[in-house]
């Protein structure tokens, strides 16, 4: 039942929890390697809650249009919710920048109206 | 017949005689040894004096009785039939061999029909799934020791879910009558003790009349709210001892207890609170078991224009609402048979230091209607954390709703009605917005591989939406139109992993006679506990579309290990060790085909998913189980 509930949670509840603020390109956003960021996103287990495309799952949707880097970084290091903390001992600042670059590289999906299964 | 042994032939006597005879055949007497030696030399054996005497002496007139027309198990079956059990699920076991034989021969294998199961845990889960749909128990037979040990987790799951299951354990009480060896291992002094902490009632009848009364009593207890599993130990001697005259045994009449309705004074108080509340919220919980119950819940919600969160409520109804805001803004929260009320109105943060905070307003009132207040046990902690409520109505929700609706309607003034209408409009708008948001959310990772759960859900909905469908596992997607009470499975349980597959098979069996198209979203880790349930579905022609949500991991556990790794700041790349199901990847379609059902996969390209589901659905429409293995995103 735990897994059943989990599936339900993802499909029914999580969408209501997410809110994305468009990121603004600011000087506080470090340059990062999106390709390496994608690899880290998988290897360090980010995908477990957020999905391989950062689309959300047990955790919030992170992309496209991730929140500003400072807020992102602050939350990763010192989460106020359920997310486990990723300190600099396990994810370096450089790696965090790479992950953020990966999130920024994820394109906007097509609108629901253009997908037949979602437009009905 | 008050005492079967008085009128029947004593099996113990038969067994004693047979044992002596058998001992005579196999014992290594000097004569026998001599015979073997001579035979080995290739010469004709010289009969021993005893053997010669046995062959030549006149046949005794005291003929040993070796057959009987009706064993006690025939009467047991008559009792079981009187309870209306359609099926009995069992993995075969010698401790209930007489009852097994009575079912398939004396009873014609109909009402109950025997379901061949490959594991006792599956037997219980199949019965559990059936009861969640049909609203009444299925029988389960198992050995009192090894069978019950296998079945135990399933029984606990049913107990925590308040699901009735009627369990019969084969056991041999009389130590002097047991066959040497295995029958001792399969016997217990107090067989039901192992599961007594999580069953509603059990008994060990020592006569057929006792069995009859306890079977009827047990069924009644299982069906009385809060429902739950019961255990009856069927002594093998009682099963196998012949009965001279079945007609002299009485099958007691079953009269189910009417479910307890809420105290009228408390119901009136709740109605007053509901009508006066500005932001009431109804938590659907596990309250609704029947179509009539769903109608009543809709009527209550519409009378008050109050939102319903969770439970069985039409998904496209404007008052079907979700989200934390509901709880945060509520001034009255009414929990209907909510298993974890505290966990719904509080948040516990799972960090190094666990902390919790109330999600509700300080002055919000909490009310519960729950039959769980009527029956609790102490050892297993399925009752969850104590909730400080303002009003607790210990009752069955469905039995209480009519009086609550009536009391509420009486209090609604024209002014309140206008307020309710405005509230209803607000929720209708919020519902439409949430639906649109769900559509947008599903677009993210739409074309990803592994396939997103939202894509899987949407593709599956396309296949079932024009059918009379029912979900028997994994719930219903956010975009699915759930209109009927039977379209989702009654919730609740003990989070027993391994329940998904057999529960879906049992639920699909219950739906079969109504011609409903059953679909289940099956988790891969869960599947691996007892895949033999597929064979049961194939053997008994149970139509079911099982769609594998194959994320190649015990994913919940991956996340727990990740959490620990992060907390301890070490090894954050090792969370998959001991939690992932890969290297090698399991070919679920191959397993399924090997058990005789239609199967496709693994599907990794989302474009292949729709066609695969349609082909599998065709197989289901032919009356088979089918499985589509879909490699998915984790969640």
């Amino acid at each position: 039942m735990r897994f059943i509930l989990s599936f339900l949670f993802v499909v029914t509840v999580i969408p209501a929890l997410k809110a994305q603020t468009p990121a603004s390109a600011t000087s506080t956003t470090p340059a990062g390697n999106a390709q390496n960021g994608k690899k880290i996103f998988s290897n360090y287990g980010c995908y477990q809650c957020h999905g391989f495309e950062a689309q959300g799952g047990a955790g919030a949707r992170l992309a496209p249009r991730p929140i500003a880097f400072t807020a992102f970084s602050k939350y990763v290091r010192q989460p106020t919710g359920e997310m486990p903390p990723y300190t600099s001992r396990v994810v370096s600042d450089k790696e965090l920048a790479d992950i953020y670059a990966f999130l920024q590289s994820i394109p906007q999906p097509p609108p629901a109206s253009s997908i037949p299964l979602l437009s009905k | 017949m008050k005492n079967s042994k008085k009128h029947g032939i004593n099996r113990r006597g038969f067994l004693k005689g047979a044992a002596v005879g058998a001992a005579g055949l196999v014992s290594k007497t000097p004569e026998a040894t001599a015979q073997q030696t001579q035979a080995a030399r290739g010469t004709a054996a010289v009969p021993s004096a005893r053997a010669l005497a046995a062959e030549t002496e006149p046949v005794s007139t005291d003929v040993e009785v070796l057959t009987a027309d009706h064993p006690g198990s025939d009467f047991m079956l008559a009792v079981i039939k009187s309870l209306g059990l359609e099926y009995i699920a069992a993995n075969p076991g010698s401790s209930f061999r007489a009852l097994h034989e009575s079912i398939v021969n004396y009873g014609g294998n109909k009402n109950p029909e025997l379901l061949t199961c490959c594991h006792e845990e599956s037997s219980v889960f199949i019965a559990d799934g059936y009861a969640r749909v049909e609203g009444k128990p299925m029988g389960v037979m198992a050995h009192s020791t090894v069978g019950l040990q296998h079945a135990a987790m399933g029984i606990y799951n049913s107990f925590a879910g308040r699901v009735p299951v009627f369990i019969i354990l084969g056991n041999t009480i009389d130590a002097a009558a047991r066959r040497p060896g295995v029958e001792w291992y399969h016997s217990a002094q107090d067989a039901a003790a192992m599961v007594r902490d999580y069953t509603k009632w059990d008994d060990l009848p020592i006569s057929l009349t006792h069995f009859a009364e306890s079977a009827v009593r047990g069924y009644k207890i299982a069906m009385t709210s809060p429902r739950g599993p019961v255990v009856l130990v069927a002594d093998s001697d009682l099963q196998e001892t012949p009965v001279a005259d079945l007609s002299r045994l009485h099958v007691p009449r079953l009269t189910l207890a009417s479910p307890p309705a809420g105290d009228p004074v408390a119901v009136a108080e709740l109605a007053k609170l509901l009508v006066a509340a500005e932001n009431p919220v109804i938590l659907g919980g596990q309250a609704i078991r029947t179509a009539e119950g769903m109608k009543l819940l809709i009527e209550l919600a519409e009378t008050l224009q109050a939102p319903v969160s969770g439970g069985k409520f039409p998904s496209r109804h404007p008052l079907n609402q979700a989200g934390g805001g509901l709880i945060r803004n509520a001034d009255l929260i009414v929990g209907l048979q909510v298993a974890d009320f505290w966990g719904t109105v509080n948040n516990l943060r799972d960090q190094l230091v666990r902390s919790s905070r109330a999600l509700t307003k300080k002055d919000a009132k909490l009310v519960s209607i729950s039959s769980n207040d009527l029956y609790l046990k102490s050892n297993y902690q399925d009752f969850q954390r104590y909730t400080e409520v303002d009003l607790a109505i210990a009752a069955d929700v469905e039995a209480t709703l009519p009086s609550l609706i009536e009391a509420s309607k009486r209090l609604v003034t024209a002014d309140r009605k206008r307020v309710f209408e405005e509230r209803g409009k607000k929720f209708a708008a919020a519902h439409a917005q949430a639906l649109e948001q769900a559509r947008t959310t599903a677009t993210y990772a739409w074309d990803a591989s592994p396939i997103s759960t939202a894509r899987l859900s949407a593709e599956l909905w396309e296949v079932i939406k024009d059918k009379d469908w029912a979900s028997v596992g994994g719930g219903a997607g956010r975009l699915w139109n759930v209109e009927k009470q039977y379209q989702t499975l009654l919730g609740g349980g003990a989070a027993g992993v391994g329940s998904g597959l057999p529960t879906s098979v049992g639920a699909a069996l219950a739906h079969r006679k109504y011609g409903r198209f059953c679909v289940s979203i099956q988790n891969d880790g869960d599947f691996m506990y007892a895949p033999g349930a597929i064979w049961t579905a194939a053997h008994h022609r149970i139509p079911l579309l099982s769609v594998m949500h194959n994320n190649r991991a015990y994913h919940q556990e991956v996340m727990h290990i990740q959490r620990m790794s992060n907390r301890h700041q070490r090894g954050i790349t090792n969370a998959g060790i001991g939690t992932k199901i890969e290297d090698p990847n399991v070919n679920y379609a191959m397993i399924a085909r090997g058990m005789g059902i239609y199967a496709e996969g693994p599907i990794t390209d989302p474009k292949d998913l729709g066609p695969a589901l349609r082909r599998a659905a065709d197989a289901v429409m032919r009356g088979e189980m089918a499985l589509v293995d879909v490699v998915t995103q984790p969640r």
Side-chain angles (χ1 to χ4, degrees):
Chain A
M1 285 295 164
R2 174 170 43 187
F3 285 89
I4 292 171
L5 290 173
S6 299
F7 185 85
L8 267 173
F9 183 74
V10 169
V11 175
T12 64
V13 180
I14 285 297
L17 298 178
K18 291 172 199 161
Q20 297 287 309
T21 309
S24 55
T26 66
S27 57
T28 54
T29 305
N33 180 331
Q35 211 174 353
N36 191 46
K38 184 176 184 176
K39 205 162 70 183
I40 295 168
F41 195 81
S42 177
N43 290 347
Y44 287 6
C46 310
Y47 79 96
Q48 292 167 15
C49 297
H50 301 288
F52 287 105
E53 307 285 320
Q55 77 274 16
R61 178 171 65 81
L62 304 177
R65 296 184 298 126
I67 57 173
F69 180 78
T70 42
F72 170 76
S73 173
K74 190 177 171 194
Y75 196 88
V76 169
R77 300 297 192 208
Q78 197 73 38
T80 53
E82 283 299 311
M83 181 172 149
Y86 281 73
T87 66
S88 56
R89 274 176 63 183
V90 295
V91 182
S92 69
D93 289 345
K94 169 73 178 68
E95 288 172 324
L96 204 57
D98 289 350
I99 290 170
Y100 192 76
F102 163 62
L103 298 179
Q104 284 184 309
S105 74
I106 293 172
Q108 191 70 22
S113 57
S114 71
I115 299 172
L117 289 181
L118 298 178
S119 60
K120 294 168 188 170
Chain B
M1 180 175 180
K2 298 293 177 198
N3 183 341
S4 63
K5 290 188 183 117
K6 222 158 122 187
H7 299 274
I9 299 160
N10 193 331
R11 183 170 73 96
R12 290 172 188 165
F14 161 73
L15 284 174
K16 201 184 292 176
V20 170
L25 288 174
V26 299
S27 62
K28 295 281 182 184
T29 61
E31 293 88 342
T33 308
Q35 282 180 44
Q36 285 172 358
T37 309
Q38 286 191 340
R41 288 181 191 139
T43 56
V46 177
S48 68
R50 186 186 296 176
L52 202 60
E55 291 292 327
T56 55
E57 281 178 2
V59 176
S60 167
T61 53
D62 186 16
V63 178
E64 187 183 12
V65 177
L66 297 172
T67 62
D69 289 340
H70 290 296
S73 55
D74 282 0
F75 175 68
M76 290 177 174
L77 180 63
V79 176
I80 290 165
K81 276 181 174 288
S82 79
L83 301 174
L85 295 186
E86 284 188 294
Y87 301 99
I88 290 194
N91 184 245
S94 57
S95 61
F96 51 90
R97 62 187 184 179
L99 192 49
H100 182 144
E101 193 271 340
S102 290
I103 291 167
V104 299
N105 285 329
Y106 181 60
N109 198 29
K110 195 165 182 196
N111 296 323
E113 177 188 344
L114 197 72
L115 298 177
T116 314
C117 299
C118 305
H119 194 297
E120 288 84 352
E121 189 177 282
S122 299
S123 302
V124 177
F125 281 134
I126 285 171
D128 178 287
Y130 169 91
R132 284 174 196 266
V133 174
E134 197 60 14
K136 67 176 193 176
M138 178 190 285
V140 169
M141 292 193 298
H143 278 310
S144 60
T145 58
V146 291
L148 186 59
Q149 285 155 2
H150 269 165
M153 192 276 265
I155 295 170
Y156 180 52
N157 205 64
S158 296
F159 181 77
R162 311 295 182 248
V163 177
V165 181
F166 190 85
I167 301 153
I168 299 171
L169 302 178
N171 191 49
T172 303
I173 291 297
D174 187 350
R178 290 177 198 152
R179 285 175 283 126
V182 173
E183 201 159 41
W184 280 78
Y185 294 118
H186 289 179
S187 295
Q189 188 187 63
D190 180 8
M194 187 180 13
V195 294
R196 192 161 290 140
D197 274 335
Y198 42 94
T199 46
K200 271 192 85 180
W201 189 76
D202 68 85
D203 198 16
L204 166 60
I206 59 164
S207 71
L208 289 173
T209 296
H210 185 173
F211 178 90
E213 290 180 7
S214 289
V216 176
R217 188 196 303 272
Y219 187 95
K220 181 178 178 177
I221 290 169
M223 286 292 285
T224 301
S225 188
R227 297 174 173 183
V230 294
V231 173
L232 204 57
V233 181
D235 179 50
S236 65
D237 191 47
L238 207 57
Q239 293 177 52
E240 296 187 22
T241 299
V243 178
D245 185 359
L246 278 177
S247 68
R248 295 180 66 180
L249 287 163
H250 174 63
V251 178
R253 188 175 72 243
L254 168 70
T255 304
L256 292 179
S258 61
D263 162 51
V265 176
V267 169
E269 176 63 23
L270 174 55
K272 212 184 290 178
L273 290 170
L274 276 167
V275 172
E278 292 307 315
N279 292 304
V281 174
I282 300 168
L283 304 174
Q286 278 108 46
I288 301 305
R289 298 186 309 267
T290 66
E292 181 58 25
M294 193 191 231
K295 271 189 208 162
L296 290 169
L297 183 54
I298 294 168
E299 190 178 348
L300 177 68
E302 289 180 349
T303 299
L304 302 156
Q305 290 298 307
V308 177
S309 181
K312 290 191 179 218
F313 195 74
S315 64
R316 298 273 171 97
H317 194 290
L319 292 169
N320 186 324
Q321 300 283 323
L326 276 182
I327 300 290
R328 280 194 296 275
N329 297 328
D331 54 359
L332 173 66
I333 301 171
V334 182
L336 305 180
Q337 195 73 26
V338 176
D340 183 10
F341 205 160
W342 188 92
T344 310
V345 295
N346 289 277
N347 174 260
L348 189 140
R349 195 159 168 252
D350 185 12
Q351 296 290 6
L352 184 60
V353 177
R354 291 187 181 187
S355 58
S356 64
R357 65 183 172 88
L359 297 172
T360 53
K361 283 181 179 171
K362 204 175 174 188
D363 56 352
K365 289 197 180 308
L366 305 184
V367 178
S368 77
I369 308 178
S370 175
S371 62
N372 289 349
D373 283 340
L374 296 166
Y375 186 89
L376 279 182
K377 290 201 175 186
S378 54
N379 191 15
Y380 287 82
Q381 305 288 296
D382 63 299
F383 39 78
Q384 303 291 334
R385 193 160 173 182
Y386 181 76
T387 314
E388 293 178 59
V389 297
D390 298 275
L391 179 63
I393 302 177
D396 180 84
V397 173
E398 285 199 10
T400 305
L401 282 175
S403 60
L404 180 60
I405 292 166
E406 203 184 306
S408 300
K409 280 183 175 172
R410 274 201 301 267
L411 295 173
V412 178
T413 61
D415 282 350
R416 292 310 291 162
K417 199 170 181 185
R418 273 194 294 278
V419 171
F420 294 172
E421 279 167 5
E422 284 308 307
R423 187 159 70 202
K425 282 179 197 163
K426 194 181 72 181
F427 281 119
H431 184 273
Q433 195 182 3
L435 195 61
E436 202 45 46
Q437 181 58 45
R439 285 198 177 93
T440 302
T441 299
T443 63
Y444 299 107
W446 182 254
D447 290 319
S449 177
I451 295 168
S452 75
T453 51
R455 176 77 181 255
L456 186 154
S457 179
E459 296 280 2
L460 192 50
W461 174 239
E462 182 66 12
V463 171
I464 66 170
K465 66 184 168 69
D466 296 324
K467 297 178 168 61
D468 182 14
W469 62 274
S471 167
V472 291
R478 182 68 185 89
L479 298 173
W480 296 13
N481 184 14
V482 181
E483 298 172 291
K484 298 175 178 125
Q485 163 270 337
Y486 61 74
Q487 286 178 321
T488 53
L489 209 51
L490 183 68
V497 183
S499 64
L501 178 62
T503 299
S504 68
V505 169
L509 173 63
H511 282 298
R512 185 174 67 181
K513 68 181 169 201
Y514 305 109
R516 295 170 191 149
F517 185 95
C518 290
V519 61
S520 168
I521 295 170
Q522 173 64 48
N523 295 292
D524 55 335
D526 179 281
F527 175 98
M528 291 292 278
Y529 280 76
I534 284 183
W535 181 87
T536 300
H539 181 70
H540 292 283
R541 313 289 187 269
I542 300 171
L544 164 64
L545 174 56
S546 187
V547 182
M548 186 69 82
H549 171 21
N550 179 7
N551 57 23
R552 292 179 172 158
Y554 298 101
H555 203 82
Q556 182 103 350
E557 311 314 316
V558 179
M559 293 161 73
H560 278 300
I561 304 306
Q562 184 74 48
R563 179 176 294 280
M564 292 301 104
S565 302
N566 283 57
R567 186 176 292 177
H568 306 137
Q569 302 187 83
R570 61 193 184 209
I572 64 165
T573 57
N574 291 336
I577 297 174
T579 54
K580 290 198 174 177
I581 310 171
E582 51 189 29
D583 188 22
N585 293 329
V586 180
N587 189 325
Y588 295 103
M590 194 180 281
I591 293 173
R593 281 194 290 269
M595 293 203 210
I597 67 165
Y598 181 89
E600 291 203 33
I603 307 286
T604 54
D605 186 338
K607 290 188 187 67
D608 296 335
L609 181 53
L613 289 173
R614 283 190 286 279
R615 288 189 294 271
D618 288 343
V620 176
M621 294 298 280
R622 293 193 297 269
E624 303 172 27
M625 180 177 175
L627 180 142
V628 178
D629 177 15
V630 187
V631 179
T632 57
Q633 295 273 327
R635 289 304 183 71

